[in-house]
Amino acid sequence: MNTYGKIFRLTTFGESHGIALGGVIDGVPSDIEIDQEEIQNELDRRRPGQSSIVTNRQESDKVEFLSGLFEGKTTGTPIGFIIRNHDHHSSDYDNLKETFRPSHADYTYQTKYGIRDYRGGGRSSARETASRVVGGAIAKQILKEFGISTFAFTSKVGTIGLPTDFSVCDVDPKTIEANIVRCPDEITAERMICEIEAVKKIGDTIGGVITGVIKGLPVGLGEPVFDKLQAMLAAGMMSINAAKGFEYGMGFNGCSNKGSEMIDHFTTRDGQIGTVTNNSGGIQGGISNGEDIVFRVAFKPVATLLMETEGITLDGRLQKLKVKGRHDPCVLPRAVPIVEAMAAMTILDSLLLGRATGKIL
Amino acid sequence: MNTYGKIFRLTTFGESHGIALGGVIDGVPSDIEIDQEEIQNELDRRRPGQSSIVTNRQESDKVEFLSGLFEGKTTGTPIGFIIRNHDHHSSDYDNLKETFRPSHADYTYQTKYGIRDYRGGGRSSARETASRVVGGAIAKQILKEFGISTFAFTSKVGTIGLPTDFSVCDVDPKTIEANIVRCPDEITAERMICEIEAVKKIGDTIGGVITGVIKGLPVGLGEPVFDKLQAMLAAGMMSINAAKGFEYGMGFNGCSNKGSEMIDHFTTRDGQIGTVTNNSGGIQGGISNGEDIVFRVAFKPVATLLMETEGITLDGRLQKLKVKGRHDPCVLPRAVPIVEAMAAMTILDSLLLGRATGKIL
Amino acid sequence: MNTYGKIFRLTTFGESHGIALGGVIDGVPSDIEIDQEEIQNELDRRRPGQSSIVTNRQESDKVEFLSGLFEGKTTGTPIGFIIRNHDHHSSDYDNLKETFRPSHADYTYQTKYGIRDYRGGGRSSARETASRVVGGAIAKQILKEFGISTFAFTSKVGTIGLPTDFSVCDVDPKTIEANIVRCPDEITAERMICEIEAVKKIGDTIGGVITGVIKGLPVGLGEPVFDKLQAMLAAGMMSINAAKGFEYGMGFNGCSNKGSEMIDHFTTRDGQIGTVTNNSGGIQGGISNGEDIVFRVAFKPVATLLMETEGITLDGRLQKLKVKGRHDPCVLPRAVPIVEAMAAMTILDSLLLGRATGKIL
Amino acid sequence: MNTYGKIFRLTTFGESHGIALGGVIDGVPSDIEIDQEEIQNELDRRRPGQSSIVTNRQESDKVEFLSGLFEGKTTGTPIGFIIRNHDHHSSDYDNLKETFRPSHADYTYQTKYGIRDYRGGGRSSARETASRVVGGAIAKQILKEFGISTFAFTSKVGTIGLPTDFSVCDVDPKTIEANIVRCPDEITAERMICEIEAVKKIGDTIGGVITGVIKGLPVGLGEPVFDKLQAMLAAGMMSINAAKGFEYGMGFNGCSNKGSEMIDHFTTRDGQIGTVTNNSGGIQGGISNGEDIVFRVAFKPVATLLMETEGITLDGRLQKLKVKGRHDPCVLPRAVPIVEAMAAMTILDSLLLGRATGKIL
C-alpha cells in the first residue's frame, strides 16, 4: 500500500510534521555507479521555498543514505534513506484537531483509521513525494545506462497552454529549468508565472497540466492485459497528490477522430521499424513500440486557500476556518520532478520485469 | 501480469481464436448467493453480433463454471470458468503471419516474445475482456450486498456528446440499455448511432468517451499514497483495450479553474457528513468520501479499418494490407459493460482490502 | 492465495468432486517447445488407481490445454488448462454434510467460510495437486533448457528408511520409477511396499519422508533475506497436503554437530569454485552456490482410515463415522511427482526473478 | 524480496557495518496503543553482548521511530524506524575483500551481484534480524488485543534436549528469560550453557533447535492451498539466518506412526469444539483449528569459527583464513526473540488477511 513497483520497489514512510520522511528502495540492479549529488539536485527541484511562486516553508530536504550503496555503487541490497523535517509550524494546525478542511483528506483519514496526525496534513501531505523523488532519481541514473531518459514540464496553468504547434518531443530539458514554472516555452512561462502570482495575491490557487516524455525505450516493455505500460503509468501518475486525470498519445482529444486519421503508418529508420506519426504515444497493446512515450497529467488547484473557508467537525457542525499553514498557489512547478520520478520508476520496473518475462533463450 | 486485484483477484487466459477463454476468480467472499443468469446477461451485453453497430462475429459466449460455487453459493474457493470460442475464421488472418498491422500489437508482441498467435490478434484481442465481464458480474452481485452499485454509459461518440446540463449521477440504468449505443439520453443516442453507421459505411471507425458512476460507497475505501482509489481505478480502466485517457471528478477541465471555485463545501445529509458539490468526484486523499464516484474513460477509434492500409514485415518491407476479419466500427457500446466490470472489481477489491487495513478494534 | 510464484505463477481451481480441476500458468517464458505427452506422463505418475498401494479411485486425469501454446510452443501468454473429474462417488460423502471428520479440514473450512463443499473434501482434497503437476511439468521442460533437473523419491515409509550410506545425489531417476513406491533402492522399496500393504489390510495409513534433489543450478538463484531459496522451497513443500516438516542439507540432524564438522571446504572443479562436502545442501545465505540442492519433506499418515472413527457435528455432538470414500494407505508414492513439481516451479520462478534482480550490465 | 508479509508488511534495510539498519512496517492496524519500551525490551533480548555465551560486539541497538505513531498510538500509516550501528570494527574484515569464507554467503553474493559489502558479512549478516524484532514486537502488541500470544525457547543445543515428558504448551514465558540460554527447564539450561562454553573455549560453534508456541488463535486463520498457515510459518522461519529445518505438530517423528495413532479426536471445551490430543499442531488443511500451534526450527552451528579455516579467492586460489570478527558460539539464545518475531508477524498477517478473505456477511 505504501510500496510502488513490482521489482524496483519504493516503500515510503513519513508525515508532514513528523521526525523524518524516508523510504526503502528494493530491487535495485547491482554494481551501478550512483551520483548522490544528482539525487540531491532532483530533491532541490521539488524543495519548498525554491521560488516566489511556491510555498515558503523552508526545508533543506537533505537526503541521508543509510544502506545499499558501497564505495559509490549499488550493491543490489535495499537502499534505506531518510530526510529529516525541520521547519514545521505544527501549532498552525491546532485548530484542525477537531475540524475537517473541505476538499482535503482530513475527514476520510479520520473515518478510515479512527485517528489521524492532523499536523500539516500528516501522511496525506504531498510532502511524502520527496521520497518518491529520491527513488526516481536513482531510477533515472540506472535508466541512463540503458539509454533511456525522461523529462516533464508544465504545459498548462489555468487556461494558459503551450502554442498548438509546440513540439513536445523536441524539448531541450535545459529549457525546462530555465524558468521557475518549468515551462520550456519562454513566453508561455512568463504568462503562467503572472497567472500564478495573480491567484497568489488573492489567496487563491490554480491548476494545470504537466506533459511527460520518455525517450530511448526499447521495443517490448510492458506486460499485456492488466499491467499494460499505460495502465502502470496511469496508476503511478494518479497516485500523485492532486492529480485528476491521465492521458497518453492523442488522449481524450483523439477520441473525436476517425480511425483512418489516427493510424500511425509504419516506416523504417536506421534499419529499425518505426512509425511516421506517433498518435499512439509510444505504446501498442500495452507494450512499448520504440517511439517516444508522451503523456499528460491534470492537476487540480489545491484546496488549501489563504482565504476563509468552512470546515466541519466530526459531529457535523460547520465551522469557519482560516488556514495558517504555508502552501503552494500552484503545485505544477514542484510537481514536474515528481511526475518524472514516477515515470522513471515505472519504466525501470517494466524494464526489469521484462527481463524476467520476455523471450529468454 | 494476467491477474487483476489484490484480494478479489481475476486471472484470465485465452486467445481470440484459441480453444477457449476463461479465468480464475480468487478471494471471493464466501456464502453469497450468485445468480448465474445475471452473469450471462452481462456477457450478452458485451457479446459480438448483438446489434448493427458492432462486429458481426457470432459468438454465443456461454460461460461454464467449473468450481467455487456449491448449491448456488460462493464457497470462498476459486471460481474457475471457461467460454469456448466458436466462430473464428482463422484463415482470414493468414496474410498477417508475416506482416504487422499498423497501430496494432502485432509488432510489439512479436518483438517482446519472439512468437505470436497472429490469428485474430491472439491474446491482444479485446476478446479477452469477456473474462473480465464474468469477474465483474460476480463482483457486482457481491457489492449489491453492501448497497454499492455501478453503471457506465456512452457519453461521447466522435464529437457528439451529452447535453452540458445532463446529470450523470441521476441516470436510470434502464435508460442505458434502451438503445444499442448505450447512451442514456435518447436524442443523443440517435445522433451517435447515425454517426457510427456513417463511419461503418466507409469502412472507418470512431472513438468516444464512457462515463462511469459508482454509488453507495461507504467512507474509507482506498489506500493512501500509491494505491489511492483513483490510481487503482485508472490502472483498471487504462488496462482496457483502446483506452487512451482516464479522469475523475472535474478531471482535465477542472485544471483551468481556481481552487475557490472547486472546493466542495461540507454539509450534512441524514446526519451524515457530505458535500454540497462533488467536483472531487467522490475521493479525497485517495479514500472514498461517501459521495458518488464519477469518472470518464477515453477510447480511441480502433485501428482495424475495412479499407486498404499498409503493414510492415519483420524485415522492414511495407506491404499493402486488406483486413478480412470482422470488427467494430466503434467499441463504445460493447465497452460499457467492460468499464462497469473493471469498476466493480476495483471497488470490491478495495472494500475487501479495507477490511484488512482499516480500523479494526 | 490460490496462486504460487512471483514471476512463473500457477493459479489453481477446482474441487475433488466438482466438474473440473485446472489452472492458469502465467509468466511462462516464450518460444519454448513443450512436449504435451511428457506433461501427461507426469500426471500419470500422480494419478489415482495406478497401483495396488494407492487409492482405487479411477481418474484418467487427461489434461486439456486451452491457451498459451501455439504450434507446439509457448507464446508468453497464460496457459489455461482443465482436467475433468469423472469417478466421483459423491453420495459416499452424504454423511459428512453435517459431521466433521477428525484431523481433516472439514471443521476449519466450515468455520472460516460458513459453507463448504463436503463432497470428497472439496477444495481441501489433495486432488488439487493434479494442477500443480501440470505446472511443474511445464517448469521442468523449461528448466531443461537451462540444464537444470529435479527429481524426488520416497526415502522413508514408517520406520523403513534408506541405508545410511545411500548416496542421494547419484540416484538414476529411472530407478525411482522402477517400483510402485518410488524408492530408488530396490530392497528398501520391497520392504516399504510390504509395510504399506500391511497397514492397508487393517484399514490404517502410514507416513514417511520424500527426498528431493535439484541438479545443475547456476550460482546466484534465490533472493537474500525473506525470499531465501530455502524459504521459498519450504513454503512450496509445506503447502502440499499432509506435509509436516521440511529440512535441507544436514537439516535437523546437523544441529547436533559442531561448526568445524559442518563447514563445506572450498575446492575447484573444472575451473569452477565448488565445495568438497555439501552439508549446506546447495544454498548459502539464501542463494544457490552451484552444488546440488538436497531437501527432505515429512508426510504424516493421512487421517482417512477405513476403520470406524468419531466425528463431531457443528453443535458439538460426537458421532460414529465410517468413511466410504477411497483413499491412499500411504501418500508417498503419489506425492513424489508433486514434490518434484513444487521444486521445479520454485526453481524456475527464482531463475526468472533472478534475471530481474541480479547483476545486469 | 526484502519485504515480509502480505498485509502487515515489514521491509528491512541495512548492512552489518553500514550507517544504520531499519525498516518500514506497513499495514499496521490503526488506533492501537504501542508501548515503545516493550519494543526496546525485545531488542535487548536479541542484542549482542548480552551474556557470556553470545558475541561480545557491543551495540546498544536503540530503535528510533520516525513515523506512523501519533500520541502513542498507531495511525495506520507506515512506521519507519532506524537502529544505528556503532561498534563495527570494519578493518577486521579487510582480509575478506578478496577471499570468500567457507559456508558463508560471500561467494554467492559476489557471484549474484558482482559486488558486495564484505564488512561483517554486509547484508547477509544476521544483524538484519534486529529490524525483524522491531516488527515482531509491534505485531505482538497488536495480537495481544486479540488474545493471541506467542513464545519460543531453546529446546535443544547440540545433543542436549528437553526431557521427553516436558510439556511445551504449558511453559511459563518467564522461565524462558530466567537463564541466558533461554531454555525453560532449569537443569537442561545449565547443561546447555556448559556445552556452549565448552565449544566457545575451543573456538568452535554448536547448533540446536528452537520450539515455538502460539496460543489463543481463533479458528480460521490461514489460506488454503498455497498460503497454508504452516507454509507461511515455514517460509518465515526458514528465512532466518542459519535455519535448516522446520516442522510442526508431530513433524518428522510423526511420519513413522500409523494414522490411527495420530488422529486428534474431537471433544468440546467450554462449548467450543476442540481436540483431545494435538498431534496436528493446531492446523488442519492449512487453517488454524483453535488448538495451540507448536513448531520447531533447526539451526545449524554457525560457520564463523575462531580457528583457522581455508577460504577461496575469486580466481580459485585456496587461502588460509583467520577470522577476527566477533561471533556467537551458538545462535540459539539470540534467535529465540527472532523466532517469536517471525511467528508474531506471520500470525498477525494471517489474521488481517483472514479479515479480508473469510466469511463477511
Side-chain angles (χ1 to χ4, degrees):
Chain A
M1 288 72 82
N2 290 280
T3 296
Y4 188 74
K6 289 182 166 59
I7 302 288
F8 183 88
R9 302 197 302 170
L10 171 70
T11 301
T12 73
F13 65 84
E15 279 84 40
S16 182
H17 289 204
I19 294 167
L21 304 161
V24 185
I25 310 168
D26 201 356
V28 184
S30 60
D31 213 12
I32 294 179
E33 203 114 13
I34 294 296
D35 180 344
Q36 293 195 26
E37 207 175 312
E38 190 55 38
I39 298 170
Q40 190 60 53
N41 285 349
E42 291 289 326
L43 272 172
D44 292 347
R45 296 174 70 206
R46 200 215 71 98
R47 196 171 64 78
Q50 65 181 264
S51 79
S52 62
I53 57 170
V54 307
T55 172
N56 61 344
R57 176 171 173 171
Q58 290 301 327
E59 291 287 353
S60 58
D61 281 359
K62 291 295 170 212
V63 60
E64 182 189 7
F65 288 101
L66 305 173
S67 67
L69 297 171
F70 185 59
E71 299 177 346
K73 286 180 160 185
T74 60
T75 58
T77 65
I79 298 176
F81 65 90
I82 59 172
I83 300 166
R84 293 202 180 261
N85 289 320
H86 296 289
D87 184 33
H88 42 72
H89 300 181
S90 299
S91 62
D92 285 357
Y93 294 86
D94 280 352
N95 61 335
L96 298 182
K97 194 168 182 172
E98 281 161 354
T99 308
F100 308 133
R101 292 167 296 173
S103 289
H104 277 81
D106 302 343
Y107 169 56
T108 52
Y109 265 71
Q110 183 69 39
T111 308
K112 183 177 181 74
Y113 296 114
I115 184 176
R116 80 185 199 281
D117 179 351
Y118 54 83
R119 302 166 306 164
R123 180 71 179 155
S124 74
S125 163
R127 188 149 174 69
E128 179 270 339
T129 57
S131 299
R132 305 190 190 195
V133 170
V134 175
I138 288 173
K140 276 184 181 181
Q141 294 192 33
I142 297 168
L143 286 175
K144 201 192 286 178
E145 306 267 348
F146 292 94
I148 300 170
S149 64
T150 175
F151 60 83
F153 52 83
T154 302
S155 51
K156 202 176 174 195
V157 168
T159 56
I160 301 160
L162 285 166
T164 48
D165 61 346
F166 187 87
S167 174
V168 297
C169 289
D170 298 332
V171 163
D172 174 356
K174 275 183 221 124
T175 63
I176 298 170
E177 294 306 301
N179 58 69
I180 57 177
V181 76
R182 294 202 165 84
C183 171
D185 185 69
E186 209 184 314
I187 293 163
T188 312
E190 274 172 42
R191 294 175 58 214
M192 288 172 169
I193 294 166
C194 283
E195 173 72 3
I196 296 173
E197 279 168 348
V199 297
K200 183 185 170 186
K201 198 166 290 174
I202 56 170
D204 212 331
T205 62
I206 188 81
V209 176
I210 289 178
T211 296
V213 179
I214 306 161
K215 297 178 90 81
L217 282 104
V219 185
L221 298 197
E223 301 302 313
V225 186
F226 297 114
D227 295 349
K228 290 187 168 81
L229 199 47
Q230 66 269 36
M232 295 299 95
L233 280 169
M237 298 305 152
M238 294 304 293
S239 80
I240 302 175
N241 310 47
K244 299 297 283 188
F246 170 87
E247 58 176 12
Y248 80 108
M250 286 291 284
F252 275 88
N253 286 339
C255 299
S256 310
N257 289 84
K258 296 214 177 63
S260 57
E261 299 163 323
M262 295 286 285
I263 279 185
D264 292 314
H265 292 285
F266 279 119
T267 184
T268 52
R269 275 195 302 269
D270 312 324
Q272 295 287 311
I273 290 175
T275 58
V276 179
T277 50
N278 187 16
N279 294 323
S280 301
I283 305 172
Q284 290 293 8
I287 304 171
S288 65
N289 69 355
E291 304 297 310
D292 295 341
I293 291 183
V294 184
F295 62 90
R296 280 166 298 282
V297 188
F299 287 89
K300 70 168 183 179
V302 284
T304 312
L305 312 181
L306 295 178
M307 44 176 77
E308 198 179 73
T309 56
E310 210 173 37
I312 201 163
T313 60
L314 191 48
D315 55 358
R317 279 175 303 109
L318 291 169
Q319 192 118 17
K320 291 288 168 210
L321 208 62
K322 186 87 173 68
V323 172
K324 277 175 284 183
R326 295 144 302 169
H327 294 277
D328 294 273
C330 177
V331 297
L332 280 285
R334 293 178 61 206
V336 164
I338 305 167
V339 165
E340 290 177 5
M342 295 309 294
M345 289 194 287
T346 307
I347 293 300
L348 178 56
D349 192 41
S350 282
L351 189 143
L352 296 178
L353 191 60
R355 295 169 57 87
T357 61
K359 184 167 165 58
I360 59 174
L361 292 174
Chain B
M1 290 74 81
N2 290 281
T3 296
Y4 187 74
K6 289 182 165 59
I7 302 290
F8 183 89
R9 303 198 301 171
L10 172 69
T11 301
T12 73
F13 66 83
E15 279 83 40
S16 181
H17 289 204
I19 294 167
L21 304 161
V24 185
I25 310 167
D26 201 355
V28 184
S30 60
D31 213 12
I32 293 179
E33 202 115 15
I34 294 295
D35 180 343
Q36 293 196 25
E37 207 174 314
E38 191 55 39
I39 298 169
Q40 190 60 52
N41 285 348
E42 291 290 325
L43 271 172
D44 292 348
R45 294 173 72 207
R46 200 213 70 99
R47 198 171 64 79
Q50 65 182 266
S51 79
S52 61
I53 56 170
V54 306
T55 173
N56 61 343
R57 175 168 172 174
Q58 291 301 325
E59 290 287 353
S60 59
D61 280 358
K62 291 296 171 210
V63 60
E64 181 188 9
F65 288 101
L66 304 173
S67 67
L69 298 170
F70 185 59
E71 299 177 347
K73 286 180 160 185
T74 60
T75 58
T77 65
I79 298 176
F81 65 90
I82 59 173
I83 300 166
R84 294 201 177 261
N85 289 320
H86 295 291
D87 184 32
H88 41 73
H89 300 180
S90 299
S91 61
D92 285 357
Y93 293 86
D94 280 352
N95 59 334
L96 299 181
K97 193 169 184 172
E98 281 160 357
T99 307
F100 307 134
R101 292 167 295 173
S103 289
H104 277 82
D106 302 343
Y107 169 56
T108 53
Y109 265 71
Q110 182 71 37
T111 307
K112 183 178 181 73
Y113 296 114
I115 184 176
R116 79 185 199 281
D117 178 351
Y118 54 82
R119 302 166 307 165
R123 181 69 178 155
S124 75
S125 163
R127 187 148 175 71
E128 179 270 342
T129 57
S131 300
R132 306 189 188 196
V133 170
V134 174
I138 287 172
K140 276 184 180 181
Q141 295 192 33
I142 297 168
L143 286 174
K144 201 191 287 179
E145 307 268 347
F146 292 93
I148 300 170
S149 63
T150 176
F151 60 83
F153 52 83
T154 303
S155 51
K156 202 176 174 195
V157 167
T159 56
I160 301 160
L162 285 165
T164 49
D165 61 345
F166 188 87
S167 174
V168 297
C169 289
D170 298 332
V171 163
D172 174 356
K174 274 184 219 120
T175 62
I176 298 170
E177 295 305 302
N179 57 69
I180 56 175
V181 76
R182 294 201 167 86
C183 172
D185 185 69
E186 209 184 312
I187 292 162
T188 312
E190 274 173 40
R191 291 176 58 214
M192 290 172 169
I193 294 166
C194 283
E195 175 71 5
I196 296 172
E197 279 169 347
V199 298
K200 182 184 171 185
K201 198 168 291 174
I202 56 171
D204 212 330
T205 63
I206 188 83
V209 176
I210 289 177
T211 296
V213 179
I214 306 160
K215 297 179 91 81
L217 280 104
V219 186
L221 297 197
E223 302 302 312
V225 187
F226 297 114
D227 295 349
K228 289 187 169 81
L229 200 46
Q230 67 268 35
M232 295 299 96
L233 280 170
M237 298 305 152
M238 293 304 292
S239 79
I240 302 175
N241 311 47
K244 299 297 283 189
F246 170 87
E247 59 178 11
Y248 80 106
M250 285 291 283
F252 275 89
N253 287 337
C255 299
S256 311
N257 288 84
K258 296 213 174 63
S260 57
E261 299 164 323
M262 294 286 285
I263 279 185
D264 293 314
H265 292 285
F266 280 119
T267 184
T268 51
R269 275 195 302 267
D270 312 324
Q272 295 287 311
I273 290 174
T275 58
V276 179
T277 49
N278 187 17
N279 294 323
S280 301
I283 306 173
Q284 290 293 6
I287 304 171
S288 64
N289 69 354
E291 303 297 310
D292 294 341
I293 291 182
V294 184
F295 62 90
R296 280 166 298 282
V297 188
F299 287 88
K300 71 169 183 180
V302 286
T304 313
L305 313 180
L306 294 180
M307 42 176 79
E308 198 180 71
T309 56
E310 211 174 36
I312 200 163
T313 60
L314 192 48
D315 55 359
R317 280 176 300 108
L318 292 169
Q319 191 118 19
K320 291 288 168 210
L321 208 62
K322 187 85 173 67
V323 172
K324 277 174 284 183
R326 295 143 303 169
H327 295 275
D328 294 272
C330 177
V331 296
L332 279 287
R334 294 177 60 206
V336 164
I338 304 168
V339 165
E340 291 177 6
M342 295 310 293
M345 289 193 288
T346 306
I347 294 300
L348 177 56
D349 192 41
S350 283
L351 189 143
L352 297 178
L353 191 60
R355 294 169 58 89
T357 62
K359 184 167 164 55
I360 59 173
L361 291 173
Chain C
M1 289 71 84
N2 290 282
T3 296
Y4 188 73
K6 288 181 166 58
I7 301 288
F8 184 87
R9 304 198 300 170
L10 171 69
T11 301
T12 73
F13 65 83
E15 277 84 40
S16 181
H17 289 204
I19 294 167
L21 305 161
V24 185
I25 310 167
D26 201 356
V28 184
S30 59
D31 212 13
I32 293 180
E33 203 115 13
I34 294 295
D35 180 343
Q36 293 196 24
E37 207 174 312
E38 191 55 38
I39 299 169
Q40 190 60 52
N41 285 349
E42 291 291 324
L43 272 171
D44 291 348
R45 293 173 73 208
R46 200 213 70 99
R47 197 171 65 78
Q50 64 182 264
S51 80
S52 61
I53 58 170
V54 307
T55 173
N56 62 344
R57 176 170 173 173
Q58 292 300 326
E59 290 287 353
S60 59
D61 281 358
K62 290 295 171 214
V63 60
E64 181 189 9
F65 289 101
L66 305 173
S67 67
L69 298 170
F70 185 59
E71 298 177 347
K73 286 180 158 185
T74 60
T75 58
T77 65
I79 298 176
F81 66 89
I82 59 173
I83 300 166
R84 295 201 177 261
N85 289 320
H86 295 291
D87 184 32
H88 42 73
H89 300 180
S90 299
S91 61
D92 284 358
Y93 294 85
D94 280 352
N95 60 333
L96 298 181
K97 193 169 183 171
E98 280 160 356
T99 307
F100 308 134
R101 293 166 295 172
S103 290
H104 278 81
D106 302 343
Y107 169 54
T108 53
Y109 265 70
Q110 182 70 38
T111 308
K112 183 178 181 73
Y113 296 113
I115 183 176
R116 79 184 200 281
D117 178 352
Y118 54 83
R119 302 166 306 165
R123 181 71 179 156
S124 75
S125 163
R127 187 149 175 71
E128 179 271 340
T129 57
S131 300
R132 306 190 188 195
V133 170
V134 175
I138 288 173
K140 277 183 180 182
Q141 295 193 32
I142 298 168
L143 286 174
K144 200 191 287 178
E145 307 268 347
F146 292 94
I148 301 169
S149 64
T150 176
F151 60 83
F153 52 83
T154 302
S155 51
K156 202 175 174 197
V157 166
T159 56
I160 302 160
L162 285 165
T164 49
D165 61 347
F166 187 87
S167 175
V168 298
C169 289
D170 298 332
V171 162
D172 173 356
K174 273 183 220 120
T175 63
I176 299 170
E177 295 305 303
N179 57 69
I180 57 176
V181 76
R182 295 202 166 85
C183 172
D185 184 70
E186 208 182 314
I187 292 162
T188 312
E190 273 173 41
R191 293 175 58 216
M192 289 172 169
I193 293 166
C194 283
E195 173 73 4
I196 296 173
E197 278 169 348
V199 298
K200 182 184 170 185
K201 198 167 290 174
I202 57 171
D204 212 331
T205 62
I206 188 81
V209 176
I210 288 177
T211 296
V213 179
I214 306 160
K215 297 179 92 81
L217 280 103
V219 186
L221 296 198
E223 302 301 312
V225 186
F226 297 114
D227 295 348
K228 290 187 169 80
L229 200 47
Q230 67 268 38
M232 295 299 95
L233 280 170
M237 296 307 152
M238 293 304 292
S239 79
I240 302 175
N241 310 48
K244 299 297 283 187
F246 170 88
E247 59 177 12
Y248 80 107
M250 285 291 284
F252 276 88
N253 286 338
C255 299
S256 311
N257 289 84
K258 297 214 175 63
S260 57
E261 299 164 324
M262 294 286 286
I263 279 185
D264 292 313
H265 293 285
F266 279 119
T267 185
T268 50
R269 274 195 303 266
D270 313 324
Q272 295 287 310
I273 290 174
T275 58
V276 179
T277 50
N278 187 18
N279 295 323
S280 301
I283 305 173
Q284 289 294 8
I287 305 172
S288 64
N289 69 354
E291 303 297 309
D292 295 341
I293 292 181
V294 184
F295 62 90
R296 280 166 298 282
V297 188
F299 287 88
K300 70 170 183 179
V302 285
T304 311
L305 314 179
L306 295 179
M307 41 176 79
E308 197 180 73
T309 56
E310 210 174 39
I312 200 162
T313 60
L314 191 49
D315 54 358
R317 279 176 302 108
L318 292 169
Q319 192 117 19
K320 292 286 170 212
L321 209 60
K322 186 86 174 70
V323 172
K324 277 174 286 184
R326 296 143 302 168
H327 295 276
D328 294 272
C330 177
V331 297
L332 279 287
R334 293 178 60 206
V336 164
I338 304 168
V339 166
E340 291 178 5
M342 294 310 293
M345 289 193 288
T346 306
I347 294 300
L348 177 56
D349 193 40
S350 283
L351 189 142
L352 297 178
L353 192 60
R355 295 170 56 89
T357 62
K359 185 168 164 55
I360 59 174
L361 289 174
Chain D
M1 288 71 82
N2 290 281
T3 296
Y4 188 73
K6 290 183 164 59
I7 302 288
F8 183 87
R9 303 197 301 169
L10 171 69
T11 301
T12 73
F13 65 84
E15 278 84 39
S16 182
H17 289 205
I19 295 166
L21 304 162
V24 185
I25 310 168
D26 201 356
V28 184
S30 60
D31 213 13
I32 293 179
E33 204 114 14
I34 294 295
D35 181 342
Q36 293 195 25
E37 207 173 312
E38 191 56 39
I39 298 169
Q40 190 60 54
N41 285 349
E42 292 289 325
L43 272 171
D44 292 347
R45 296 174 71 208
R46 199 212 71 99
R47 198 171 64 78
Q50 66 182 265
S51 80
S52 62
I53 57 169
V54 307
T55 172
N56 60 345
R57 175 169 173 172
Q58 291 301 327
E59 291 286 353
S60 59
D61 281 359
K62 291 295 171 212
V63 61
E64 182 189 7
F65 288 101
L66 304 173
S67 67
L69 299 170
F70 185 59
E71 299 176 347
K73 286 181 160 185
T74 60
T75 58
T77 65
I79 297 176
F81 65 90
I82 58 173
I83 300 166
R84 294 201 178 260
N85 289 320
H86 295 290
D87 184 32
H88 43 72
H89 300 182
S90 299
S91 61
D92 285 358
Y93 294 86
D94 280 353
N95 61 335
L96 298 182
K97 194 168 182 172
E98 280 160 356
T99 308
F100 308 133
R101 293 167 295 173
S103 290
H104 277 81
D106 302 342
Y107 169 55
T108 53
Y109 266 71
Q110 183 69 39
T111 308
K112 183 178 181 72
Y113 296 114
I115 184 176
R116 80 186 198 281
D117 178 352
Y118 54 83
R119 302 165 306 165
R123 181 71 179 154
S124 75
S125 163
R127 187 148 174 71
E128 178 270 340
T129 57
S131 299
R132 305 190 190 195
V133 170
V134 175
I138 288 173
K140 275 183 181 182
Q141 295 192 32
I142 298 167
L143 286 174
K144 201 192 287 176
E145 306 267 348
F146 292 94
I148 301 170
S149 65
T150 175
F151 60 82
F153 51 83
T154 302
S155 51
K156 202 176 175 195
V157 168
T159 56
I160 302 160
L162 285 165
T164 49
D165 62 345
F166 187 86
S167 175
V168 297
C169 289
D170 297 333
V171 163
D172 174 356
K174 275 184 219 119
T175 63
I176 298 170
E177 295 306 300
N179 58 70
I180 57 176
V181 76
R182 294 201 167 86
C183 171
D185 184 69
E186 210 183 311
I187 294 163
T188 312
E190 274 172 41
R191 294 175 58 215
M192 289 172 170
I193 294 166
C194 283
E195 173 73 5
I196 296 172
E197 280 168 347
V199 298
K200 183 184 169 186
K201 198 167 291 173
I202 55 169
D204 212 331
T205 61
I206 188 82
V209 175
I210 289 178
T211 297
V213 179
I214 306 160
K215 296 178 90 80
L217 281 103
V219 186
L221 298 197
E223 302 302 312
V225 185
F226 298 113
D227 295 349
K228 289 187 168 81
L229 200 47
Q230 66 268 36
M232 296 299 95
L233 280 168
M237 298 306 153
M238 294 304 292
S239 80
I240 302 175
N241 310 47
K244 298 297 283 187
F246 170 89
E247 59 177 12
Y248 80 107
M250 286 290 283
F252 275 88
N253 286 338
C255 298
S256 310
N257 288 85
K258 295 214 176 63
S260 56
E261 299 163 323
M262 295 286 286
I263 279 185
D264 293 313
H265 292 285
F266 280 118
T267 184
T268 51
R269 275 196 302 267
D270 312 324
Q272 295 287 311
I273 291 175
T275 60
V276 179
T277 50
N278 187 17
N279 295 323
S280 301
I283 306 172
Q284 289 294 8
I287 305 171
S288 64
N289 69 355
E291 303 298 310
D292 295 341
I293 291 182
V294 183
F295 62 90
R296 280 167 299 281
V297 188
F299 287 89
K300 69 169 185 181
V302 284
T304 313
L305 313 180
L306 295 178
M307 41 176 79
E308 199 180 72
T309 56
E310 211 174 36
I312 201 163
T313 60
L314 191 49
D315 55 359
R317 280 175 300 110
L318 292 169
Q319 191 118 19
K320 291 288 170 211
L321 207 62
K322 186 89 173 69
V323 172
K324 279 174 285 184
R326 296 144 302 168
H327 295 277
D328 294 273
C330 176
V331 297
L332 279 287
R334 294 178 61 206
V336 164
I338 304 168
V339 166
E340 290 177 6
M342 295 310 294
M345 289 194 288
T346 306
I347 294 300
L348 178 56
D349 193 41
S350 283
L351 190 142
L352 297 178
L353 191 60
R355 294 171 56 88
T357 61
K359 184 168 164 56
I360 59 173
L361 290 175

